[in-house]
Amino acid sequence: MQKNFQKSRAIYEQIIEGIKKMLIRGEFKPGDKLPSQREMAQKLEVNPNTIQRAYREMEVMGLTESRRGIGTYIKEDGNLVKGIKEEMAERSVKNFKREMESLGFSPPEIKDWLKRIIDLEKT
Amino acid sequence: MQKNFQKSRAIYEQIIEGIKKMLIRGEFKPGDKLPSQREMAQKLEVNPNTIQRAYREMEVMGLTESRRGIGTYIKEDGNLVKGIKEEMAERSVKNFKREMESLGFSPPEIKDWLKRIIDLEKT
Amino acid sequence: MQKNFQKSRAIYEQIIEGIKKMLIRGEFKPGDKLPSQREMAQKLEVNPNTIQRAYREMEVMGLTESRRGIGTYIKEDGNLVKGIKEEMAERSVKNFKREMESLGFSPPEIKDWLKRIIDLEKT
Amino acid sequence: MQKNFQKSRAIYEQIIEGIKKMLIRGEFKPGDKLPSQREMAQKLEVNPNTIQRAYREMEVMGLTESRRGIGTYIKEDGNLVKGIKEEMAERSVKNFKREMESLGFSPPEIKDWLKRIIDLEKT
DNA sequence: GTGGTCTAGACCACA
DNA sequence: GTGGTCTAGACCACA
């Protein structure tokens, strides 16, 4: 049995995750200005340094651009959202697949299950 | 954006989770004796009381039977494993579906993605 | 002669027992808030963990409902008290019967004794 | 709520209790020799001092008679058994009555319950 | 040796 | 402030 227990992911990672989801859902668009670090910190009730870290990482990833004295902006890149969406979808699907396989399900069974659940809620 | 960050589940819950997976994978079978509380605690490097809690919860759930002075045993119930497997599969599928929907995918797109990933790794 | 001496029941069980009796006597009513774990621990001079155990067991039994940050409440279930009262009465009567039989009394003699004592104190 | 938890009765008291029950059931009779202290201690897996204490108390109560170098004997008293039986019955009935009253039952209800249980098992 | 109970005390999560 | 989790460690009950 595993000896390492799941720890929660770092808060700054969860923040990046959240911003990516908002991008995907269209709640942020390329070119938009993100809330200031201070504002964000207050809204999320988190230490400003945590926001700083999140914003910095996003810049490193090429997701945002910080303009000193002005603010942080989502990059104006046409394929940005599409890329993130695909990346997150892929990760989600792979996680799901791995989990189902660890439960002993074969790919066809996985599809069956998925179909069952989706059709069930479609009704 | 959400203001509540994901916390890790309690260790005792993760232990139960792990034992269920071992059951599903056949690494434990109904009737088997689980490692003693102390042994398990040592192996997983947690406090014996934490194992006690996990074992007690499993007994309450009807998954195991603890006999004082003897040990803790997986219940001899033919449908036990099947039930757990289905329960865990269902939860996993629902989580996956919810996550994909929060990324803006429709059910058909979810299926497409799944197909793509599975077929990709089949090659 | 028996070789096994009677042991006292666990403290957490005695606490549950006491709370059930208070419910039956109307000293607690469905919907009431129980004293907090810490308060109860202080009043009964036991460790808070022991109260936690009692409260948790009562929740598992469906007797109470614990709400984090709020407190622990007796469930709002009309038949709860009645059910507990009957359960405890039945157990008490059965214990009594078993004890009298172990003293060699037949059922009619048991009734005679009971009548005698009750009438005696009625005077 | 009560603050004093039930402790188990002293072992020597439980031993006296057991011997009284054997007397009542006729497994010992007036004039019988009790097992030696050593023998009794071995049979009950108890410290010989505990037996010593039990035997001493029984002598004080007038239940037995120790003859140095010979052994301990149940007293030859025609009314002894009858007296003990009545004493134990009375205590048992009173305990039962007190318990039922603490559950809020009136004497007639107590009788009803008793009748119900006895008749139920008579069938 | 195995499970069960209890204490003392720390720290977290929720409000 | 209220419940929940976890550790460290003692001691008991059963076999």
Side-chain angles (χ1 to χ4, degrees):
Chain A
M1 192 170 157
Q2 87 289 350
K3 173 164 78 178
N4 306 305
F5 298 100
Q6 213 178 28
K7 290 291 175 2
S8 38
R9 301 186 63 197
I11 289 179
Y12 82 89
E13 288 176 318
Q14 297 189 41
I15 290 170
I16 296 174
E17 202 76 9
I19 290 172
K20 282 180 172 173
K21 282 193 179 171
M22 292 178 79
L23 247 174
I24 289 171
R25 288 198 225 100
E27 294 162 36
F28 280 130
K29 289 191 185 319
D32 278 1
K33 181 178 179 300
L34 289 183
S36 79
Q37 294 187 4
R38 237 171 252 183
E39 197 184 340
M40 198 60 138
Q42 217 162 13
K43 195 156 50 175
L44 302 188
E45 290 168 12
V46 143
N47 190 298
N49 290 327
T50 303
I51 303 296
Q52 160 110 53
R53 172 95 191 257
Y55 279 24
R56 186 167 13 105
E57 297 281 331
M58 289 194 296
E59 185 157 22
V60 169
M61 290 174 195
L63 216 158
T64 58
E65 196 173 23
S66 296
R67 302 184 209 140
R68 179 182 298 260
I70 311 281
T72 298
Y73 292 83
I74 310 282
K75 276 238 182 107
E76 296 265 23
D77 171 349
N79 289 324
L80 186 69
V81 178
K82 204 174 151 231
I84 292 171
K85 187 168 173 176
E86 300 237 326
E87 169 217 318
M88 290 183 78
E90 192 173 325
R91 207 180 61 202
S92 166
V93 174
K94 283 187 175 167
N95 277 344
F96 169 63
K97 181 164 174 277
R98 192 179 329 114
E99 191 170 333
M100 289 300 277
E101 284 173 348
S102 88
L103 296 178
F105 291 96
S106 66
E109 285 173 308
I110 297 176
K111 283 186 196 162
D112 282 352
W113 262 101
L114 197 75
K115 202 184 299 171
R116 209 204 294 184
I117 299 292
I118 289 177
D119 293 351
L120 198 130
E121 305 203 346
K122 224 184 258 165
T123 327
Chain B
M1 190 171 160
Q2 88 287 349
K3 174 165 78 181
N4 307 303
F5 300 99
Q6 210 180 27
K7 293 299 171 355
S8 48
R9 303 185 64 198
I11 293 177
Y12 81 89
E13 289 175 319
Q14 297 188 42
I15 291 170
I16 294 173
E17 204 73 10
I19 289 172
K20 280 181 174 174
K21 282 195 177 168
M22 293 179 80
L23 245 175
I24 289 171
R25 290 197 224 101
E27 294 163 37
F28 281 129
K29 289 191 186 318
D32 279 2
K33 185 179 175 302
L34 289 180
S36 82
Q37 296 182 0
R38 284 156 174 82
E39 197 184 336
M40 197 60 139
Q42 215 164 11
K43 197 156 47 173
L44 302 187
E45 292 169 11
V46 297
N47 187 286
N49 284 328
T50 302
I51 303 295
Q52 241 261 339
R53 172 90 195 255
Y55 279 24
R56 181 154 30 92
E57 296 282 331
M58 290 195 294
E59 185 159 26
V60 168
M61 292 176 194
L63 216 158
T64 59
E65 196 177 311
S66 293
R67 300 181 214 146
R68 182 191 289 251
I70 309 283
T72 299
Y73 292 82
I74 309 282
K75 275 245 182 99
E76 296 268 21
D77 173 349
N79 290 323
L80 188 69
V81 177
K82 207 175 147 231
I84 292 171
K85 188 168 173 176
E86 301 238 325
E87 170 216 317
M88 291 183 79
E90 193 174 323
R91 209 181 57 202
S92 166
V93 174
K94 283 187 173 165
N95 277 344
F96 169 63
K97 181 165 174 275
R98 193 178 329 114
E99 192 170 333
M100 290 299 277
E101 285 173 349
S102 87
L103 296 178
F105 291 94
S106 66
E109 286 173 308
I110 298 176
K111 282 186 196 164
D112 283 352
W113 262 102
L114 197 76
K115 203 184 300 172
R116 206 202 301 181
I117 300 292
I118 290 177
D119 293 352
L120 197 133
E121 304 203 346
K122 226 184 252 163
T123 325
Chain C
M1 189 170 158
Q2 88 288 351
K3 174 164 78 181
N4 306 305
F5 300 99
Q6 212 180 26
K7 292 301 173 351
S8 48
R9 303 186 65 199
I11 291 177
Y12 80 90
E13 289 176 318
Q14 296 187 42
I15 290 169
I16 294 173
E17 204 75 9
I19 289 172
K20 280 180 172 175
K21 281 194 178 171
M22 292 178 80
L23 245 176
I24 289 170
R25 290 198 222 102
E27 291 160 34
F28 281 130
K29 290 192 185 318
D32 278 2
K33 185 179 177 302
L34 290 181
S36 82
Q37 297 182 1
R38 285 156 173 83
E39 197 184 337
M40 198 59 139
Q42 215 163 13
K43 196 156 50 174
L44 302 188
E45 292 169 10
V46 297
N47 188 288
N49 284 329
T50 302
I51 303 296
Q52 241 261 340
R53 172 90 196 255
Y55 279 23
R56 183 156 25 96
E57 297 281 331
M58 290 195 295
E59 185 159 26
V60 168
M61 290 175 196
L63 216 157
T64 59
E65 197 177 310
S66 293
R67 299 181 216 145
R68 182 190 290 249
I70 309 282
T72 299
Y73 293 82
I74 309 282
K75 275 242 181 100
E76 295 269 21
D77 172 349
N79 291 322
L80 188 69
V81 177
K82 207 177 147 229
I84 292 171
K85 188 168 173 176
E86 301 239 323
E87 171 215 317
M88 291 184 77
E90 191 173 325
R91 208 180 59 200
S92 166
V93 174
K94 284 188 174 166
N95 277 344
F96 169 63
K97 181 166 174 273
R98 192 179 328 114
E99 190 169 335
M100 290 300 277
E101 285 172 351
S102 88
L103 296 177
F105 291 96
S106 66
E109 285 174 308
I110 298 177
K111 282 187 198 163
D112 282 353
W113 262 103
L114 196 76
K115 203 183 301 173
R116 208 202 298 181
I117 299 291
I118 290 177
D119 293 352
L120 197 133
E121 303 204 347
K122 226 184 255 163
T123 327
Chain D
M1 193 170 159
Q2 87 288 350
K3 173 164 80 181
N4 307 302
F5 298 99
Q6 212 179 29
K7 291 290 175 3
S8 39
R9 302 185 61 198
I11 290 180
Y12 82 89
E13 289 176 317
Q14 296 189 41
I15 290 169
I16 294 173
E17 202 75 9
I19 289 172
K20 280 178 173 176
K21 281 194 179 172
M22 292 178 79
L23 247 174
I24 289 170
R25 289 198 225 101
E27 294 163 37
F28 281 130
K29 288 191 185 321
D32 279 2
K33 182 179 178 298
L34 288 182
S36 78
Q37 295 188 3
R38 234 171 254 184
E39 197 184 338
M40 197 60 139
Q42 217 161 12
K43 196 158 48 173
L44 301 189
E45 290 169 10
V46 142
N47 191 298
N49 289 328
T50 302
I51 302 296
Q52 161 111 53
R53 172 96 191 255
Y55 278 27
R56 186 167 13 103
E57 296 281 332
M58 290 193 294
E59 186 158 21
V60 168
M61 290 175 198
L63 215 158
T64 57
E65 196 172 23
S66 295
R67 303 186 208 138
R68 179 184 296 263
I70 310 281
T72 299
Y73 293 82
I74 310 282
K75 275 239 182 103
E76 295 269 20
D77 172 349
N79 290 323
L80 187 69
V81 177
K82 205 174 150 233
I84 291 172
K85 188 167 173 178
E86 300 237 326
E87 169 217 319
M88 292 183 77
E90 192 174 323
R91 207 181 59 202
S92 165
V93 173
K94 283 187 174 167
N95 276 344
F96 169 63
K97 182 164 174 276
R98 191 178 331 113
E99 192 169 334
M100 290 299 276
E101 285 173 349
S102 87
L103 296 178
F105 291 95
S106 65
E109 285 173 310
I110 298 177
K111 282 186 197 164
D112 282 353
W113 262 101
L114 197 76
K115 203 184 297 171
R116 207 203 298 183
I117 300 292
I118 291 178
D119 293 352
L120 198 132
E121 304 204 346
K122 223 185 256 165
T123 327

